[in-house]
Amino acid sequence: MEFLSQTYVALRGPSGALQTPQDTINRLSDRLSPATLLADRRAAVLALKGLSRDCKRDVGDRALSGLLEVLANDAEVDADIGKAVLETLQLLCDTEDGDIASKELGFKYTDQVLTNEKTTHALLSLLGDQNFYTRFAALQYLSTLLHNRRQIVQGYFLKSSDGTRNVVSVLEDKREIIRNEAIVLVQALISQSPDIQKVLAFEGAFEKLFNIVSQEGGVEGGVVTSSALTCVDSLLRFNSSNQSYFRETALPPVLCSLLLFPPNVPIRDPAPQEFALQFWDSQKEKNAALVVGIIGMLVGSKGGGPQEAIAFARCLIELALASNAPTPVKTQSLQLLPQNLTFPLSELTLTPYMPVPETNGEEWDRLEPASALDVLLELALHGEYNGLESRKRNKDGLELRAAAVSVFENIVQKDEVRRAILQTMLPSEGSSGPGPVTPLLHALVAPPNTTSALDVSSVTSTHLATLIFSHLVRSSPRAKALARIIMPSPVSGLAESNAGSFFVPADGTPPAPPPQPEEEDDEPPQSVLHVLSENLSLSFLTRSRASTSDRESREWDRLVIGYLCLLAQWLWEDPQSVRDFLDAGGFGTESAMNLIASRVRLQGRATIYPILNRLGIDTLVGRMARLREDERFKAVGPDTVVLSYPSASHLQPSLRPEKEDEGEIWFDWAFVDFWKSNYYTIQRGLSTEPDQLSSSASGQNAESAILVASLRDMIRSQSQEIEALQHKVKKLTTAKDEEVAVVKAQVDALTLELRQAEEKQKDTEKEQEDLLVLLDEMTSKRKRDKAKLKELGQEVSEDEAEDDCHDDDDDDDDE
């Protein structure tokens, strides 16, 4: 009643005369003076709070300074007045609700509040108050000030003596509402401020945030878990100091544990099934994506130990290749693997899983174990879950397969890795027949199906196989030389390549391998270049049929593009491959010539120059320019390969996506970068006659071109000789090492025998010396005894006397 009476008197004015809102606000502002009673100031603040909703400008212009004085002097003393003044200031500085004029007023009053650091420091001090309403209102108001003028508040925060401690302590508050509001405050406070990130991290923010995540149930938690993990990500990202400090704590293994992956599992042991098979919802997917993002950030930065890097890399690989995680999480896991990945994928054995049809993802079949490299290629070629949904071709699925291709590209950066993979496609030593058909080779050389409707999944598999194979041969003369001699067995068609190569153990024993076609003497095995040339010609021929629909024509175009991109990068600066391709009839199709001829630099120009003239140099240059300006070409970037279907839809207006999220792939960034890097060189090369100076990018003349070519041949031959000599040295070194090992073993045995003989001889000599000493002592004792007997008058036998004489004679002789 007293509060109502005081408020009524404050609003009534003298003699009960009616007042305007401005008069009332002026009177209430006067009552904010420290000279008045605390109860009067409390009543005035409450009244101003009610008026600030309708008279925001008047309250702010007349009472803001008084409200700030109340905040500085009374908020810590009285919780009610502190809550009221904070809520009033919140209404004055709010810029979220209202019209444009109200938002401008909010920014205006925010600037007045932040004229100096006094108000900010007072708010940070109030965070140490245990009163619920005071602490909660202070958190909300600080968040509002950060939203309006973040950099100014951050500067004042760094000057505060107790701000860091109070902010971190609020994260430990047992009241969930305050704790959640504190997380929102920390998110805004650390944004783009490495200094604040450091001071909060060293004050224990990491431990407090992970405690919150644990209390909320890990990745199974809700929005609070997501906010806490976002704070952890912000504290670590682009902050090497915090990353180093974080690695020194016991928290890095917790990241893997949040995903239910044991961080210390040996590489030979399989991952637990509770990690591979989990129940997922949208919130868990978001939380897991944040954890994966933090792991990827740590594994991709410098400073981590080898054990940590192996644990993080394996966690990402297992999550992407052998779990039922959502497709976007798998894609993110593959994309975050470092480019210089040293994890041995061929040594890691995975156990993939496949959902049982019509069980809504509640039942899963375990597939046969396979190496991580094989599973990666299987994913890229056939899609997720052994190609179960490859026909749908949604964007998420294509993004995952494109990420798998990108990881494979990083793996084969080293030339020896490329050659090792290509060696598996060659026949064994001493065999004259065709080599084994690996899943990659099968998807690459399988002829397109021309008897029925083109299968979308088959086209995608072949297209991605061309991308993968181009990574094996690009810019590697030795890899190209190996690829030229690959003679795959004949493949019947694409129908068998749609499904994955893994079987389900629950279905019984592994399926028997398909019977190999009988070899015919008149049809020797063809090289991969020859097969690609035939498939390319067949694709062009089928594409030109009048009965082909627009959608099917687009699929044929995509297949042709895949073949051409692979051949372009294979034939570039490789004269022998160009000759083999020409011998295989690679220019039998004029349309193929228009693209392929533009990639053949200057080698063999005397052969193809008449064909270039017949096609028209200007025509070829124009088509190159059209390709570079095509939307499907320009849209490709280092992280953007999958496009929405149909891209460049104006070319075929009748095309419509069968599903809302349908996607397509045309080019990868490696080919786009290859094309842009050599675009002008190709243009100049096309217009140069064989007997003229070559107009290369470096301006070298014909003599220098010939010299460079001869030097290249010399370097190539010397490299081959060096390799042969290295192989011979290795053999000789191995033989020498074996001989040295045998001789060393014999020397060690003889040394041991000699040491034993010397020790035995020393023992014998020591025994002899001991016996001589004993004999001497016995002789001396006997003489002394005889002498004593004579002194005592005892008779000594003559034998004994003679013995003594002999002994004396012996002694004289010795002397």
Side-chain angles (χ1 to χ4, degrees):
M1 293 298 295
E2 182 182 358
F3 163 72
L4 295 176
S5 175
Q6 291 173 349
T7 305
Y8 174 73
V9 171
L11 295 175
R12 182 187 63 187
S15 303
L18 295 177
Q19 301 181 68
T20 62
Q22 290 77 13
D23 295 336
T24 303
I25 292 171
N26 288 333
R27 185 176 295 277
L28 293 172
S29 300
D30 294 338
R31 289 182 176 272
L32 297 177
S33 173
T36 60
L37 297 176
L38 180 62
D40 292 340
R41 293 197 298 272
R42 184 189 307 115
V45 171
L46 291 170
L48 289 171
K49 173 185 173 183
L51 290 171
S52 62
R53 293 183 174 88
D54 298 325
C55 305
K56 183 175 182 178
R57 182 185 296 274
D58 295 327
V59 173
D61 292 343
R62 291 173 172 81
L64 181 59
S65 59
L67 291 171
L68 293 178
E69 290 183 5
V70 172
L71 175 66
N73 300 326
D74 301 332
E76 293 184 355
V77 178
D78 186 87
D80 294 334
I81 197 172
K83 172 178 177 292
V85 71
L86 287 170
E87 291 176 347
T88 305
L89 292 171
Q90 170 74 15
L91 291 172
L92 293 177
C93 297
D94 182 37
T95 58
E96 291 293 325
D97 302 326
D99 53 9
I100 297 178
S102 177
K103 292 181 179 180
E104 291 179 352
L105 286 175
F107 286 114
K108 173 186 174 182
Y109 298 140
T110 299
D111 292 334
Q112 294 180 14
V113 170
L114 298 177
T115 303
N116 53 57
E117 68 272 12
K118 182 179 179 181
T119 302
T120 304
H121 290 177
L123 291 172
L124 293 172
S125 298
L126 288 176
L127 293 181
D129 195 325
Q130 295 300 319
N131 183 272
F132 173 83
Y133 295 103
T134 303
R135 178 174 272 191
F136 182 71
L139 287 170
Q140 284 190 317
Y141 189 45
L142 275 172
S143 298
T144 299
L145 294 179
L146 282 166
H147 178 268
N148 295 345
R149 295 289 185 263
R150 175 174 49 82
Q151 293 182 348
I152 298 176
V153 178
Q154 288 175 335
Y156 293 158
F157 174 82
L158 291 172
K159 297 178 183 179
S160 174
S161 59
D162 55 354
T164 303
R165 182 178 63 256
N166 290 343
V167 168
V168 175
S169 65
V170 176
L171 292 173
E172 293 182 303
D173 201 304
K174 302 300 181 182
R175 295 163 290 193
E176 293 185 2
I177 296 177
I178 292 180
R179 183 198 63 187
N180 298 345
E181 193 66 31
I183 296 175
V184 176
L185 173 66
V186 171
Q187 281 183 316
L189 191 61
I190 63 179
S191 177
Q192 299 180 5
S193 177
D195 294 332
I196 296 180
Q197 294 169 7
K198 292 177 184 178
V199 297
L200 288 180
F202 284 94
E203 193 67 28
F206 285 130
E207 290 78 1
K208 307 299 186 296
L209 291 170
F210 273 98
N211 287 339
I212 294 174
V213 173
S214 177
Q215 293 169 6
E216 293 294 319
V219 293
E220 304 284 350
V223 179
V224 177
T225 297
S226 176
S227 300
L229 290 173
T230 302
C231 287
V232 174
D233 184 273
S234 300
L235 288 171
L236 291 172
R237 196 165 296 278
F238 309 122
N239 196 319
S240 58
S241 176
N242 279 5
Q243 291 177 13
S244 300
Y245 172 75
F246 182 79
R247 288 191 173 98
E248 294 175 358
T249 66
L251 295 176
V254 177
L255 292 170
C256 295
S257 300
L258 288 175
L259 298 174
L260 302 184
F261 182 81
N264 298 323
V265 60
I267 191 172
R268 301 293 181 185
D269 295 347
Q273 185 170 335
E274 55 268 20
F275 161 76
L277 301 179
Q278 304 182 42
F279 289 100
W280 294 86
D281 54 30
S282 58
Q283 186 60 49
K284 182 177 179 180
E285 177 183 346
K286 182 178 180 181
N287 296 340
L290 288 169
V291 176
V292 169
I294 297 172
I295 292 176
M297 172 176 50
L298 293 175
V299 77
S301 61
K302 297 181 180 179
Q307 295 299 326
E308 174 189 299
I310 290 175
F312 282 163
R314 183 177 179 185
C315 180
L316 295 178
I317 292 170
E318 293 271 5
L319 188 66
L321 302 180
S323 76
N324 67 337
T327 303
V329 176
K330 292 183 176 182
T331 304
Q332 182 188 16
S333 300
L334 290 178
Q335 290 174 342
L336 291 176
L337 288 173
Q339 292 186 355
N340 55 346
L341 179 65
T342 58
F343 190 87
L345 289 181
S346 58
E347 299 178 9
L348 176 62
T349 301
L350 302 181
T351 304
Y353 292 86
M354 180 176 178
V356 177
E358 301 180 359
T359 60
N360 197 24
E362 296 183 0
E363 296 182 13
W364 295 77
D365 276 331
R366 183 173 60 251
L367 305 183
E368 61 174 312
S371 70
L373 184 58
D374 291 337
V375 178
L376 181 73
L377 286 174
E378 175 72 17
L379 174 63
L381 294 174
H382 303 294
E384 201 173 10
Y385 302 132
N386 213 25
L388 183 64
E389 299 181 354
S390 59
R391 297 178 184 273
K392 296 182 180 180
R393 204 168 63 181
N394 54 49
K395 289 190 68 175
D396 288 342
L398 288 179
E399 290 281 4
L400 177 60
R401 298 170 74 173
V405 175
S406 179
V407 172
F408 182 83
E409 179 184 5
N410 296 333
I411 293 173
V412 299
Q413 287 180 350
K414 295 183 178 179
D415 199 54
E416 56 268 22
V417 178
R418 299 185 184 188
R419 287 180 286 161
I421 295 176
L422 290 171
Q423 286 284 356
T424 62
M425 306 179 190
L426 298 175
S428 58
E429 295 184 5
S431 175
S432 59
V437 179
T438 62
L440 172 60
L441 199 56
H442 186 281
L444 179 66
V445 303
N449 187 1
T450 59
T451 58
S452 59
L454 192 61
D455 188 7
V456 172
S457 59
S458 300
V459 173
T460 306
S461 295
T462 302
H463 189 189
L464 292 174
T466 60
L467 299 182
I468 294 173
F469 203 82
S470 66
H471 296 321
L472 290 174
V473 300
R474 184 187 306 112
S475 304
S476 176
R478 294 185 179 181
K480 292 178 181 180
L482 286 175
R484 285 197 303 269
I485 60 177
I486 295 177
M487 303 289 182
S489 302
V491 180
S492 58
L494 281 173
E496 298 177 357
S497 65
N498 298 340
S501 60
F502 300 142
F503 76 97
V504 182
D507 294 342
T509 58
Q516 297 293 334
E518 296 181 359
E519 299 181 7
E520 299 181 6
D521 298 336
D522 56 344
E523 292 185 5
Q526 296 178 329
S527 67
V528 174
L529 269 177
H530 197 139
V531 175
L532 291 176
S533 174
E534 291 184 353
N535 292 349
L536 178 63
S537 300
L538 185 60
S539 300
F540 271 116
L541 180 62
T542 310
R543 167 68 175 81
S544 62
R545 291 178 181 173
S547 59
T548 306
S549 64
D550 289 344
R551 190 176 185 89
E552 191 172 356
S553 297
R554 193 177 184 86
E555 299 305 318
W556 283 113
D557 290 341
R558 193 187 331 278
L559 190 59
V560 168
I561 287 293
Y563 288 136
L564 293 178
C565 290
L566 169 58
L567 292 172
Q569 297 171 86
W570 189 343
L571 302 183
W572 181 258
E573 292 187 337
D574 190 6
Q576 185 59 47
S577 296
V578 173
R579 296 189 191 95
D580 292 349
F581 183 73
L582 293 174
D583 293 341
F587 288 156
T589 305
E590 181 174 332
S591 299
M593 174 61 189
N594 295 338
L595 277 177
I596 297 298
S598 62
R599 308 297 192 283
V600 182
R601 195 173 182 180
L602 294 175
Q603 293 88 347
R605 284 186 47 80
T607 304
I608 66 172
Y609 189 73
I611 307 177
L612 296 177
N613 280 333
R614 180 168 58 87
L615 293 173
I617 303 298
D618 294 338
T619 302
L620 291 175
V621 173
R623 292 188 179 183
M624 290 176 60
R626 285 174 56 190
L627 173 61
R628 189 170 184 177
E629 297 302 321
D630 192 280
E631 294 180 9
R632 292 164 290 186
F633 186 87
K634 293 193 298 182
V636 176
D639 300 322
T640 307
V641 177
V642 180
L643 310 178
S644 298
Y645 185 93
S647 53
S649 57
H650 65 280
L651 300 177
Q652 294 173 303
S654 61
L655 285 178
R656 293 291 182 271
E658 295 181 350
K659 296 185 64 177
E660 183 178 356
D661 60 343
E662 186 175 1
E664 60 181 356
I665 297 177
W666 288 93
F667 305 97
D668 65 344
W669 174 248
F671 175 77
V672 172
D673 183 60
F674 164 80
W675 179 276
K676 291 180 178 179
S677 300
N678 301 292
Y679 179 77
Y680 294 105
T681 301
I682 296 170
Q683 281 190 341
R684 285 190 290 268
L686 289 173
S687 59
T688 302
E689 297 183 3
D691 54 351
Q692 290 181 347
L693 299 180
S694 62
S695 177
S696 63
S698 59
Q700 55 186 347
N701 54 27
E703 294 180 359
S704 61
I706 295 174
L707 178 61
V708 169
S710 62
L711 290 175
R712 284 178 177 172
D713 293 338
M714 185 182 299
I715 292 173
R716 189 179 296 110
S717 62
Q718 290 179 351
S719 299
Q720 293 175 355
E721 292 178 2
I722 291 173
E723 186 176 359
L725 291 174
Q726 289 177 345
H727 184 66
K728 186 176 180 180
V729 168
K730 185 177 180 181
K731 286 185 176 179
L732 293 175
T733 304
T734 304
K736 183 179 179 181
D737 292 341
E738 293 177 355
E739 294 178 359
V740 170
V742 172
V743 173
K744 186 177 180 181
Q746 293 177 353
V747 170
D748 292 341
L750 293 174
T751 303
L752 180 61
E753 292 178 1
L754 178 60
R755 187 180 298 111
Q756 292 175 351
E758 290 177 350
E759 292 177 355
K760 187 175 181 181
Q761 183 179 359
K762 289 181 180 179
D763 293 340
T764 303
E765 291 178 352
K766 186 177 181 181
E767 290 178 359
Q768 291 178 353
E769 290 178 358
D770 293 340
L771 290 174
L772 291 174
V773 171
L774 179 61
L775 180 60
D776 184 64
E777 291 177 354
M778 293 296 294
T779 304
S780 301
K781 185 176 181 300
R782 185 179 179 187
K783 289 181 179 180
R784 289 194 298 271
D785 292 342
K786 289 181 178 180
K788 288 181 180 181
L789 289 174
K790 288 181 180 181
E791 291 176 358
L792 294 175
Q794 297 291 332
E795 294 182 0
V796 179
S797 63
E798 295 180 358
D799 295 337
E800 292 176 354
E802 291 178 359
D803 291 339
D804 292 340
C805 293
H806 288 302
D807 292 337
D808 294 337
D809 295 338
D810 292 338
D811 293 338
D812 295 337
D813 294 337
D814 292 337
E815 291 176 2

